[in-house]
Amino acid sequence: MTYDTQPEASHHIGGRYVEDTAGAAIPVIYPATGDRIATVHAATASVVDQALAAAEAAQPDWAALSPRERGRILTRAAQIMRARNHELSVLETRDTGKPLQETLVADATSGADALEYFGGLAGTLTGEHIPLGRDWVYTIREALGVCVGIGAWNYPTQIACWKAAPALACGNTMVFKPSETTPLCALKVAEILTEAGAPPGVFNVVQGLGETGARLVTDPRVAKVSLTGSAPTGRKVYAAAAADMKHVTMELGGKSPMIVFDDADIENAVGGAILGNFYSSGQICSNGTRVFVHGAIMERFLDRLTARLTTAVIGDPLDEATSFGPMVSEAQMNIVLGYIDKGRTEGARLVTGGRRVDREGFYLEPTVFADVTDAMTIAREEIFGPVMSVLDFDDEDEVIARANATEYGLSAGVFTRDLARAHRVTGKLRAGTCFINSYNDAPVEAPFGGVKASGVGRENAQAAVEHYSQLKSVYVRMGDVEAPF
Ligand code: NDP
């Protein structure tokens, strides 16, 4: 089945598509061929203003709806999203280049999970009654106001939903700016929320580059900013938001460790390392890109890894048999090729891959380096591509110290059959999410986010509610006021 990729217009504001061709043209490139599949225009100052004005105007009435009514709209949006999963997955594939095999199960479906989860949660968001003898305090959980969401290019549908669902459930409205690299999918989220009954202005999408994001972040009408992006951008956005004491959620990058002990089930550990390095062609923030393997099992691990990598099906992402697609853009492919070069020149052993695939589009081979040391660039910097660094270790304390020796702290994984060790080690790993004998699961029921330079705040789960609402305490005196004079 073919679907249109050119959207009706660039932005979605106040419940309808809005165009302003005065904004710079942004070409949308299909990464598997390099062909232009659509064009959108960056938001002009007037478009940004329209979106913020629409969100500001809609917010009081949206917050005044009964939470269950807001929840019902989100739940309905989840149902529409599931019903349109195939179409949305094809669009996600064309926007990002990720194989349809993945997008059918990991994108609109994950977005629908978030809408459904927070739709259900909306009616349960209550305050507290705090007795103080005769007097008492009650708390009201209030919306923050207008929230801004800014997305990265790797999971455009999921990121829009992970931000919109808790924000809207709590009674906020949102202006969302997708990455300029993948501008198409968030427009569908806006379309679907509107179809589900979200009043005009509740969820708006504007296109643009970093400067559009910066304009949104600094606008005085905005109460909160949630960014998914790199750590350098996070630092800028956090600082800009801090100037006006705005709330923030920062979902940033990582250089996460995965530790494979000598008693691990090797096939499961190899499976985890594949999922944590090559799913979405390695373009996942939580990837376990530093794979620490115990020296005693190193060669067996590498043998099984290289054998299983030969079964990757590299090809047209729209073919459901394809399991490994291109990089999102030529620019990202070149960044990753630069890291592969650094790995070689700094003395890592190239076990497999390392080259651009000889076909149209921005394809790289799944790449594994062994004999990587902690000081090498590929072991320190986030690559955001299909490059796994394998490091060896002998001792538990040593590997924990090395795993933690990074500015990042998004995720960490441990493979071992010794459960006491698994819990002991995860207790010492400095990461927002840890996996035991697994990697990269991200159910909406579990809080997701980083520590250290990987970010602040949490998405998903009940934890997200804390970041999209604030508490008002109301002190109620039941007797007379006793003033000193
Ligand atoms: P970037 O940090 O380059 O961009 C993220 C978003 O911020 C884009 O929409 C970008 O616009 C926008 N932006 C850039 N500068 C500013 C600014 N000064 N003010 C406001 N907004 C701005 O990240 P990428 O898009 O390259 O995504 C990859 C990064 O995202 C990786 O580091 C990855 O680890 C991280 N990431 C983190 C996740 C997490 O949950 N922790 C999940 C997924 C990715 P534009 O690019 O259009 O110019």
Side-chain angles (χ1 to χ4, degrees):
M1 214 183 291
T2 56
Y3 306 100
D4 241 3
T5 43
Q6 177 62 45
E8 198 179 312
S10 300
H11 320 288
H12 202 280
I13 298 173
R16 60 187 184 84
Y17 277 101
V18 170
E19 190 55 275
D20 182 354
T21 52
I26 301 174
V28 187
I29 305 296
Y30 180 40
T33 59
D35 293 337
R36 180 192 285 232
I37 54 167
T39 303
V40 295
H41 291 270
T44 54
S46 133
V47 164
V48 169
D49 185 59
Q50 270 180 60
L52 287 169
E56 190 183 35
Q59 199 270 326
D61 285 350
W62 177 245
L65 279 184
S66 89
R68 201 162 41 77
E69 264 179 89
R70 289 199 300 271
R72 193 182 302 135
I73 291 169
L74 299 184
T75 310
R76 207 178 291 137
Q79 288 159 355
I80 299 172
M81 205 164 248
R82 289 216 171 87
R84 288 172 65 177
N85 185 41
H86 191 267
E87 168 207 344
L88 297 170
S89 303
V90 168
L91 189 70
E92 175 100 16
T93 289
R94 303 197 77 191
D95 218 2
T96 63
K98 293 185 293 181
L100 192 56
Q101 192 188 89
E102 287 185 18
T103 55
L104 281 169
V105 296
D107 294 282
T109 54
S110 160
D113 286 352
L115 290 163
E116 185 177 65
Y117 178 86
F118 287 103
L121 205 65
T124 72
L125 303 176
T126 55
E128 271 187 294
H129 170 263
I130 303 164
L132 298 166
R134 274 202 312 171
D135 294 352
W136 46 285
V137 167
Y138 66 94
T139 61
I140 306 171
R141 188 167 284 286
E142 293 185 334
L144 300 174
V146 175
C147 298
V148 160
I150 301 177
W153 39 254
N154 56 345
Y155 279 79
T157 306
Q158 185 191 82
I159 292 171
C161 292
W162 281 19
K163 297 189 189 309
L168 271 48
C170 292
N172 305 285
T173 54
M174 179 167 269
V175 177
F176 185 83
K177 188 201 84 69
S179 163
E180 106 209 44
T181 312
T182 54
L184 304 179
C185 301
L187 291 169
K188 291 291 168 191
V189 175
E191 231 181 63
I192 287 169
L193 279 164
T194 304
E195 188 185 331
V202 164
F203 182 71
N204 311 275
V205 174
V206 297
Q207 309 293 349
L209 283 68
E211 96 193 49
T212 306
R215 186 172 283 150
L216 288 166
V217 171
T218 48
D219 192 283
R221 287 168 285 192
V222 172
K224 192 229 156 93
V225 180
S226 176
L227 169 82
T228 296
S230 61
T233 304
R235 286 194 173 92
K236 280 190 237 165
V237 172
Y238 199 172
D244 292 320
M245 218 58 87
K246 289 175 178 158
H247 296 251
V248 294
T249 299
M250 295 281 143
E251 295 293 351
L252 308 176
K255 191 72 200 176
S256 300
M258 181 186 298
I259 304 173
V260 185
F261 285 97
D262 51 357
D263 64 346
D265 178 305
I266 299 262
E267 285 307 320
N268 283 336
V270 168
I274 288 173
L275 282 176
N277 281 273
F278 301 119
Y279 202 71
S280 300
S281 293
Q283 302 165 113
I284 298 183
C285 49
S286 49
N287 272 355
T289 48
R290 289 182 296 144
V291 181
F292 291 93
V293 179
H294 193 278
I297 56 164
M298 178 61 83
E299 288 316 313
R300 262 167 64 215
F301 178 89
L302 290 175
D303 284 351
R304 287 303 301 145
L305 178 64
T306 41
R308 284 177 62 174
L309 286 180
T310 61
T311 67
V313 181
I314 302 177
D316 174 5
L318 288 167
D319 178 346
E320 275 186 60
T322 296
S323 58
F324 188 83
M327 304 305 296
V328 75
S329 64
E330 188 166 16
Q332 186 62 19
M333 178 185 73
N334 288 330
I335 289 171
V336 178
L337 281 169
Y339 278 109
I340 292 172
D341 258 2
K342 280 218 169 77
R344 280 204 186 92
T345 54
E346 291 180 13
R349 168 163 62 106
L350 184 65
V351 176
T352 184
R355 286 169 310 188
R356 185 173 179 177
V357 178
D358 183 19
R359 56 175 292 147
E360 62 175 0
F362 315 130
Y363 288 83
L364 293 176
E365 293 173 340
T367 298
V368 178
F369 282 107
D371 302 342
V372 177
T373 61
D374 299 343
M376 288 180 186
T377 307
I378 57 169
R380 286 186 293 107
E381 295 183 12
E382 183 180 48
I383 299 175
F384 227 61
V387 182
M388 183 194 300
S389 293
V390 182
L391 306 94
D392 68 358
F393 77 96
D394 291 318
D395 172 73
E396 183 180 308
D397 288 338
E398 166 219 330
V399 78
I400 292 168
R402 291 170 62 199
N404 285 335
T406 165
E407 64 168 323
Y408 293 112
L410 193 52
S411 299
V414 179
F415 280 85
T416 176
R417 285 195 175 91
D418 178 345
L419 276 185
R421 171 154 64 190
H423 294 292
R424 185 170 64 236
V425 173
T426 47
K428 292 179 184 166
L429 288 170
R430 298 187 62 200
T433 303
C434 290
F435 303 95
I436 294 177
N437 294 326
S438 189
Y439 208 85
N440 261 355
D441 314 80
V444 67
E445 296 88 343
F448 180 79
V451 301
K452 302 198 281 179
S454 290
V456 293
R458 291 292 176 269
E459 296 201 298
N460 288 343
Q462 307 233 2
V465 169
E466 298 295 328
H467 302 286
Y468 281 104
S469 61
Q470 57 197 349
L471 287 176
K472 175 184 280 174
S473 296
V474 181
Y475 190 105
V476 182
R477 181 174 294 280
M478 300 299 285
D480 294 331
V481 174
E482 286 176 26
F485 48 83

